[in-house]
Amino acid sequence: MKQNVQLVVIDGQGGSLGKALVAAIKKTFREVEVLGIGTNSLAASAMLKSGADAIATGENPAIVACRNADLIV
């Protein structure tokens, strides 16, 4: 796998799906940088607690993060 792979996970509502995805990705691919984008702060916080390297909330961070992402989930 190439160095500095960036994966963006976008989730809303309570963030339970994003939380599960981030946890599974970080468990399997420790070297991948995972950015959690929540449509609200609750979703972003849940992804941070499950191991996301960074989080953001809202539409604009999602647009900016997706420009450079290697994979969007």
Side-chain angles (χ1 to χ4, degrees):
M1 185 173 286
K2 76 178 193 173
Q3 295 287 46
N4 300 324
V5 174
Q6 184 179 34
L7 190 142
V8 175
V9 178
I10 302 174
D11 193 14
Q13 303 268 330
S16 59
L17 181 59
K19 180 180 176 180
L21 285 169
V22 169
I25 291 164
K26 290 304 276 185
K27 182 178 179 182
T28 306
F29 305 104
R30 289 186 173 90
E31 70 280 357
V32 172
E33 179 185 351
V34 178
L35 174 60
I37 306 288
T39 59
N40 57 50
S41 60
L42 186 61
S45 178
M47 289 187 278
L48 181 63
K49 289 177 185 175
S50 68
D53 296 302
I55 59 167
T57 304
E59 180 181 346
N60 192 50
I63 293 167
V64 173
C66 290
R67 289 180 187 155
N68 299 320
D70 294 303
L71 184 64
I72 304 167
V73 181

